Short mmCIF file of all heavy atoms in Angstrom, two decimals:
data_model
loop_
_atom_site.label_atom_id
_atom_site.label_comp_id
_atom_site.label_asym_id
_atom_site.label_seq_id
_atom_site.Cartn_x
_atom_site.Cartn_y
_atom_site.Cartn_z
N HIS A 1581 -6.95 62.78 35.30
CA HIS A 1581 -5.50 62.60 35.20
C HIS A 1581 -5.02 62.52 33.75
O HIS A 1581 -3.81 62.50 33.50
CB HIS A 1581 -5.09 61.32 35.94
CG HIS A 1581 -5.74 60.10 35.37
ND1 HIS A 1581 -7.08 59.82 35.58
CD2 HIS A 1581 -5.26 59.11 34.60
CE1 HIS A 1581 -7.39 58.70 34.94
NE2 HIS A 1581 -6.30 58.26 34.34
N ALA A 1582 -5.95 62.50 32.80
CA ALA A 1582 -5.60 62.34 31.38
C ALA A 1582 -6.20 63.45 30.53
O ALA A 1582 -6.36 63.28 29.32
CB ALA A 1582 -6.07 60.97 30.89
N ILE A 1583 -6.49 64.60 31.14
CA ILE A 1583 -7.12 65.69 30.40
C ILE A 1583 -6.34 66.09 29.15
O ILE A 1583 -6.95 66.29 28.10
CB ILE A 1583 -7.40 66.89 31.32
CG1 ILE A 1583 -8.60 66.56 32.22
CG2 ILE A 1583 -7.66 68.17 30.53
CD1 ILE A 1583 -8.94 67.63 33.24
N PRO A 1584 -5.02 66.22 29.17
CA PRO A 1584 -4.33 66.63 27.93
C PRO A 1584 -4.60 65.67 26.76
O PRO A 1584 -4.93 66.11 25.66
CB PRO A 1584 -2.85 66.62 28.33
CG PRO A 1584 -2.87 66.89 29.80
CD PRO A 1584 -4.07 66.14 30.30
N ALA A 1585 -4.51 64.38 27.00
CA ALA A 1585 -4.74 63.40 25.93
C ALA A 1585 -6.21 63.35 25.53
O ALA A 1585 -6.54 63.29 24.34
CB ALA A 1585 -4.27 62.02 26.38
N ILE A 1586 -7.10 63.37 26.51
CA ILE A 1586 -8.53 63.30 26.19
C ILE A 1586 -8.97 64.54 25.43
O ILE A 1586 -9.72 64.45 24.45
CB ILE A 1586 -9.36 63.11 27.47
CG1 ILE A 1586 -9.06 61.75 28.10
CG2 ILE A 1586 -10.86 63.23 27.17
CD1 ILE A 1586 -9.60 61.57 29.50
N GLY A 1587 -8.48 65.71 25.86
CA GLY A 1587 -8.81 66.94 25.13
C GLY A 1587 -8.39 66.86 23.68
O GLY A 1587 -9.15 67.20 22.77
N ALA A 1588 -7.18 66.38 23.44
CA ALA A 1588 -6.69 66.22 22.06
C ALA A 1588 -7.55 65.22 21.30
O ALA A 1588 -7.89 65.44 20.13
CB ALA A 1588 -5.23 65.78 22.07
N GLY A 1589 -7.91 64.13 21.95
CA GLY A 1589 -8.73 63.11 21.31
C GLY A 1589 -10.12 63.61 20.97
O GLY A 1589 -10.66 63.31 19.90
N LEU A 1590 -10.72 64.38 21.87
CA LEU A 1590 -12.06 64.91 21.61
C LEU A 1590 -12.04 65.95 20.49
O LEU A 1590 -12.95 65.99 19.65
CB LEU A 1590 -12.66 65.51 22.89
CG LEU A 1590 -13.04 64.49 23.96
CD1 LEU A 1590 -13.41 65.20 25.26
CD2 LEU A 1590 -14.17 63.59 23.49
N LYS A 1591 -10.99 66.77 20.44
CA LYS A 1591 -10.86 67.72 19.33
C LYS A 1591 -10.76 66.97 18.00
O LYS A 1591 -11.40 67.36 17.01
CB LYS A 1591 -9.62 68.60 19.52
CG LYS A 1591 -9.78 69.66 20.58
CD LYS A 1591 -8.47 70.44 20.73
CE LYS A 1591 -8.53 71.40 21.89
NZ LYS A 1591 -7.24 72.07 22.13
N ALA A 1592 -9.97 65.90 17.98
CA ALA A 1592 -9.83 65.09 16.76
C ALA A 1592 -11.17 64.47 16.37
O ALA A 1592 -11.55 64.46 15.20
CB ALA A 1592 -8.77 64.01 16.95
N ALA A 1593 -11.90 63.95 17.37
CA ALA A 1593 -13.21 63.34 17.08
C ALA A 1593 -14.17 64.37 16.49
O ALA A 1593 -14.91 64.06 15.55
CB ALA A 1593 -13.78 62.72 18.36
N LYS A 1594 -14.15 65.58 17.02
CA LYS A 1594 -15.02 66.63 16.48
C LYS A 1594 -14.63 66.99 15.05
O LYS A 1594 -15.49 67.22 14.20
CB LYS A 1594 -15.01 67.86 17.39
CG LYS A 1594 -15.78 67.61 18.69
CD LYS A 1594 -15.83 68.85 19.56
CE LYS A 1594 -16.69 68.56 20.79
NZ LYS A 1594 -17.22 69.79 21.39
N ARG A 1595 -13.33 67.01 14.76
CA ARG A 1595 -12.89 67.28 13.38
C ARG A 1595 -13.36 66.19 12.42
O ARG A 1595 -13.53 66.44 11.23
CB ARG A 1595 -11.36 67.39 13.32
CG ARG A 1595 -10.80 68.69 13.85
CD ARG A 1595 -9.34 68.88 13.48
NE ARG A 1595 -8.48 67.77 13.87
CZ ARG A 1595 -7.88 67.64 15.05
NH1 ARG A 1595 -8.04 68.55 15.98
NH2 ARG A 1595 -7.11 66.59 15.30
N HIS A 1596 -13.55 64.97 12.94
CA HIS A 1596 -13.97 63.85 12.10
C HIS A 1596 -15.48 63.61 12.13
O HIS A 1596 -15.94 62.56 11.68
CB HIS A 1596 -13.21 62.58 12.52
CG HIS A 1596 -11.79 62.58 12.08
ND1 HIS A 1596 -10.76 63.06 12.86
CD2 HIS A 1596 -11.21 62.19 10.91
CE1 HIS A 1596 -9.63 62.96 12.21
NE2 HIS A 1596 -9.87 62.44 11.02
N GLY A 1597 -16.25 64.53 12.71
CA GLY A 1597 -17.70 64.43 12.61
C GLY A 1597 -18.46 64.19 13.91
O GLY A 1597 -19.68 63.98 13.86
N LEU A 1598 -17.81 64.22 15.05
CA LEU A 1598 -18.54 64.06 16.31
C LEU A 1598 -19.34 65.32 16.57
O LEU A 1598 -18.79 66.42 16.60
CB LEU A 1598 -17.57 63.80 17.47
CG LEU A 1598 -18.22 63.54 18.82
CD1 LEU A 1598 -18.95 62.19 18.81
CD2 LEU A 1598 -17.19 63.56 19.94
N THR A 1599 -20.65 65.17 16.74
CA THR A 1599 -21.52 66.33 16.93
C THR A 1599 -22.32 66.27 18.23
O THR A 1599 -22.91 67.28 18.61
CB THR A 1599 -22.51 66.47 15.76
OG1 THR A 1599 -23.30 65.27 15.67
CG2 THR A 1599 -21.78 66.72 14.45
N ILE A 1600 -22.37 65.12 18.90
CA ILE A 1600 -23.16 65.03 20.13
C ILE A 1600 -22.40 65.68 21.29
O ILE A 1600 -21.18 65.83 21.23
CB ILE A 1600 -23.53 63.56 20.46
CG1 ILE A 1600 -22.29 62.68 20.59
CG2 ILE A 1600 -24.50 63.01 19.41
CD1 ILE A 1600 -22.59 61.22 20.96
N PRO A 1601 -23.14 66.10 22.33
CA PRO A 1601 -22.48 66.77 23.46
C PRO A 1601 -21.47 65.88 24.19
O PRO A 1601 -21.59 64.66 24.19
CB PRO A 1601 -23.64 67.12 24.40
CG PRO A 1601 -24.87 67.01 23.58
CD PRO A 1601 -24.58 66.02 22.49
N ILE A 1602 -20.51 66.53 24.84
CA ILE A 1602 -19.50 65.85 25.66
C ILE A 1602 -19.84 66.13 27.12
O ILE A 1602 -19.99 67.29 27.51
CB ILE A 1602 -18.08 66.36 25.36
CG1 ILE A 1602 -17.75 66.31 23.87
CG2 ILE A 1602 -17.06 65.62 26.21
CD1 ILE A 1602 -17.77 64.93 23.26
N VAL A 1603 -19.93 65.06 27.93
CA VAL A 1603 -20.16 65.17 29.36
C VAL A 1603 -18.87 64.79 30.08
O VAL A 1603 -18.30 63.73 29.80
CB VAL A 1603 -21.33 64.27 29.81
CG1 VAL A 1603 -21.48 64.28 31.33
CG2 VAL A 1603 -22.62 64.68 29.14
N TRP A 1604 -18.43 65.63 31.00
CA TRP A 1604 -17.24 65.34 31.82
C TRP A 1604 -17.73 64.84 33.16
O TRP A 1604 -18.25 65.57 33.98
CB TRP A 1604 -16.39 66.60 31.97
CG TRP A 1604 -15.06 66.29 32.54
CD1 TRP A 1604 -14.66 66.44 33.84
CD2 TRP A 1604 -13.95 65.73 31.84
NE1 TRP A 1604 -13.36 66.02 33.99
CE2 TRP A 1604 -12.91 65.57 32.77
CE3 TRP A 1604 -13.74 65.33 30.53
CZ2 TRP A 1604 -11.67 65.05 32.42
CZ3 TRP A 1604 -12.51 64.81 30.19
CH2 TRP A 1604 -11.49 64.68 31.12
N ASN A 1605 -17.58 63.52 33.38
CA ASN A 1605 -18.09 62.82 34.56
C ASN A 1605 -16.88 62.46 35.42
O ASN A 1605 -16.19 61.49 35.15
CB ASN A 1605 -18.84 61.58 34.08
CG ASN A 1605 -19.55 60.84 35.18
OD1 ASN A 1605 -19.31 61.04 36.36
ND2 ASN A 1605 -20.44 59.95 34.77
N SER A 1606 -16.61 63.27 36.44
CA SER A 1606 -15.36 63.11 37.16
C SER A 1606 -15.56 63.09 38.67
O SER A 1606 -16.65 63.34 39.17
CB SER A 1606 -14.39 64.22 36.80
OG SER A 1606 -14.72 65.42 37.48
#
Side-chain angles (χ1 to χ4, degrees):
H1581 60 287
I1583 286 176
I1586 294 168
L1590 290 171
K1591 286 178 187 174
K1594 287 183 176 202
R1595 284 193 306 272
H1596 286 92
L1598 184 69
T1599 59
I1600 57 178
I1602 307 298
V1603 174
W1604 192 260
N1605 186 345
S1606 78

